[in-house]
């Protein structure tokens, strides 16, 4: 009986290579023994290059999407998963299995496994997102139901750029400029009790579905900001996700009285994964302080969640987002508004105002006054702080900065009025 030793619970690369070899050789599913290597066990399985097995009668041509489905199902906490998945591939090649069959036991298992892994993945991402937002510890202890850590390593690297550790009963992973996984772990995280795999050896090679693009119901059903931010990390609604480093979501108190909406993340925001941390953000912080506000009192976000830029040599230069980018992110912004429920929404610049108001906006005609929005929130339009940074004349800079601070004082005054009304 052929025996396949996998390096770890989700060693998809070895499982896929062995499955391809044995299917082409016509080896029956019940003839293969699959196991996961124990500590100190030898190398994983590899086919002998001298072998030249016959091709299966029906051919073996799996789509990239279906390979991703297999990889996702391999994360299920079921010791029989290696055999079941191999049997599905074998039957596709030799028995004419129809993937649309809703009564086949193997396919029923596959659908249930996919649903369970997806639910566990979303839950883990929500927990990791909350852990990242708190920023009070660099170690997250968690107990996922399935073997999902490896497939979420890229997500975790994007969501938290600071060093972190995730410790689960079956596995540990950590990032400090490079990702690595523990061969064995314990819930206390004792380094002496684990063996480490070097960067890259624990990450699936050729994994076709390492991300789970959010669905509309994921946005609508998010019940808190951590959950919403977790689901936004893998948004693929427009093309900006490809060149950008990561999704940059909003941050601030869950029910902040004021929400600030900017245009999009800049270079530093894209690198750090936080909104308004670059030069424009530093100017905003100074203006808030001069207006009697503080960053921890407000929720800050952007109309577009990915950095749109063009290259100038080795520098990334801001490029105004297109209407399609703003439209693609609109449901995320609406969901943030639904969860934060601010009393006042401050729109920084024309892109933010157009996204919120869903109509063309001229800043000079709209700014510096409060007006009602459709959800009983008050709106306030002002300039984006990056506009002040672009001014060349010092007198203009001082005059426009003073005007900007006055707009923020209007926001601060409304916040105080709203707070007094609630208390009274």
């Amino acid at each position: 009986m052929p025996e396949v030793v996998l390096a770890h619970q989700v060693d998809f690369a070895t499982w896929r290579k062995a499955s391809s070899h044995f299917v082409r050789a016509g080896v029956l599913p019940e003839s293969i023994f699959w196991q996961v290597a124990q500590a100190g066990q030898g190398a994983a399985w590899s086919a002998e290059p001298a072998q030249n097995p016959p091709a299966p009668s029906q051919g073996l041509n799996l789509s990239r999407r279906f390979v991703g489905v297999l990889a996702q199902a391999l994360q299920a906490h079921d010791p029989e998963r290696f055999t079941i998945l191999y049997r599905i591939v074998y039957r596709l090649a030799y028995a004419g299995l129809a993937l649309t069959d809703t009564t086949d036991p193997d396919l029923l298992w596959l659908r249930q496994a996919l649903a369970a892994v997806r639910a566990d993945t979303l839950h883990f991402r929500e927990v990791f997102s909350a852990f990242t937002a708190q920023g009070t510890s660099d170690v997250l202890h968690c107990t996922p139901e399935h073997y999902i850590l490896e497939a979420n390593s890229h997500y975790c690297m994007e969501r938290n750029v600071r060093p972190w550790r995730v410790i689960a009963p079956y596995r540990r992973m950590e990032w400090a400029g490079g990702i690595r996984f523990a061969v064995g772990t314990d819930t206390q995280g004792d380094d002496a009790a684990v063996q480490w795999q070097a960067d890259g050896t624990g990450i699936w090679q050729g994994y076709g579905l390492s991300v789970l693009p959010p669905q509309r119901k994921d946005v609508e059903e998010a019940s808190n900001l951590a959950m919403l931010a977790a689901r936004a990390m893998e948004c693929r609604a427009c093309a900006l996700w490809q060149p950008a480093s990561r999704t940059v979501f909003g941050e601030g108190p869950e029910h902040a009285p004021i929400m600030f909406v900017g245009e999009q993340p800049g270079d530093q925001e894209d690198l750090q994964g936080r909104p308004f941390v670059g030069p424009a953000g530093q100017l905003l912080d100074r203006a808030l302080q001069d207006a009697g506000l503080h960053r921890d009192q407000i929720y800050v976000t952007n109309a577009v969640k990915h950095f749109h830029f063009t290259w100038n040599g080795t520098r990334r230069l801001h490029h105004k987002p297109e209407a399609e980018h703003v439209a693609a992110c609109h449901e995320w912004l609406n969901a943030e508004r639904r969860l934060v429920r601010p009393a006042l929404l401050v729109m920084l610049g024309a892109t933010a105002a157009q996204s919120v108001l869903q109509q063309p906006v001229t800043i000079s005609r709209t700014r510096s006054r409060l007006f009602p929005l459709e959800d009983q929130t008050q709106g306030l339009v002002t300039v984006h702080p990056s506009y002040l940074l672009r001014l060349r004349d010092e007198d203009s800079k001082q005059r426009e900065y003073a005007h900007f601070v006055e707009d923020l004082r209007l926001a601060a005054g409304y916040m105080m009025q709203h707070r007094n009304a609630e208390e009274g």
Side-chain angles (χ1 to χ4, degrees), residues 235-350:
C235 183
R236 303 292 187 262
C238 73
L240 291 186
W241 70 271
Q242 289 184 301
S245 301
R246 56 183 53 83
T247 301
V248 180
F249 209 68
E251 67 176 23
E254 182 83 27
H255 300 302
I258 306 178
M259 173 186 286
F260 279 71
V261 181
E263 180 188 81
Q264 67 170 351
D267 180 74
Q268 288 301 307
E269 287 79 7
D270 177 73
L271 294 175
Q272 298 185 41
R274 299 180 56 212
F276 288 95
V277 293
Q282 294 167 16
L283 181 59
L284 174 62
D285 287 345
R286 179 161 65 93
L288 286 170
Q289 185 174 5
D290 289 344
L293 291 169
H294 195 271
R295 181 71 170 263
D296 62 11
Q297 297 175 301
I298 66 174
Y299 183 86
V300 291
T301 190
N302 283 295
V304 175
K305 310 303 186 189
H306 286 107
F307 181 30
H308 191 204
F309 62 89
T310 56
W311 285 103
N312 182 11
T314 59
R315 296 179 60 207
R316 300 190 301 177
L317 301 181
H318 166 276
H319 191 80
K320 183 179 176 66
E322 306 293 340
E324 63 186 276
H325 306 144
V326 178
C329 275
H330 190 63
E331 64 178 319
W332 294 113
L333 181 59
N334 279 345
E336 287 176 289
R337 291 176 62 184
R338 170 177 61 84
L339 292 172
V340 177
R341 302 196 303 273
L344 174 64
L345 198 151
V346 180
M347 294 152 268
L348 303 172

Side-chain angles (χ1 to χ4, degrees), residues 150-159 210-211 234 236 245:
E150 290 82 355
N152 282 280
S153 58
H154 182 70
Y155 168 86
C156 293
M157 287 187 287
E158 288 194 347
R159 185 71 181 98
S210 61
V211 297
E234 303 298 354
R236 303 292 187 262
S245 301

Side-chain angles (χ1 to χ4, degrees), residues 368-420:
S368 305
R369 61 180 177 85
L370 298 173
F371 55 91
L373 301 176
E374 73 284 352
D375 60 355
Q376 298 182 339
T377 300
Q378 289 292 306
L380 173 65
V381 173
T382 186
V383 295
H384 194 284
S386 62
Y387 161 75
L388 305 177
L389 295 174
R390 293 193 298 268
L391 295 174
R392 297 181 179 274
D393 177 69
E394 190 61 34
D395 290 341
S396 297
K397 280 188 175 183
Q398 293 183 10
R399 181 177 62 255
E400 288 300 321
Y401 177 78
H403 192 178
F404 183 54
V405 171
E406 283 303 313
D407 287 343
L408 299 189
R409 286 191 178 125
L410 185 60
Y414 182 80
M415 183 184 76
M416 185 63 67
Q417 178 184 348
H418 176 75
R419 181 175 297 168
N420 291 337

Side-chain angles (χ1 to χ4, degrees), residues 89-143:
V89 175
Y90 181 90
R91 293 176 63 197
L92 285 171
Y94 290 102
L97 176 65
L99 292 176
T100 55
D101 188 342
T102 59
T103 61
D104 184 86
D106 287 340
L107 297 183
L108 180 61
W109 177 93
L110 178 62
R111 296 185 187 98
Q112 292 173 340
L114 293 175
V117 168
R118 187 174 194 278
D120 201 30
T121 296
L122 289 176
H123 176 69
F124 169 75
R125 292 181 177 184
E126 291 156 10
V127 171
F128 189 87
S129 182
F131 157 75
T132 298
Q134 291 168 0
T136 56
S137 173
D138 60 356
V139 179
L140 171 64
H141 292 268
C142 62
T143 54

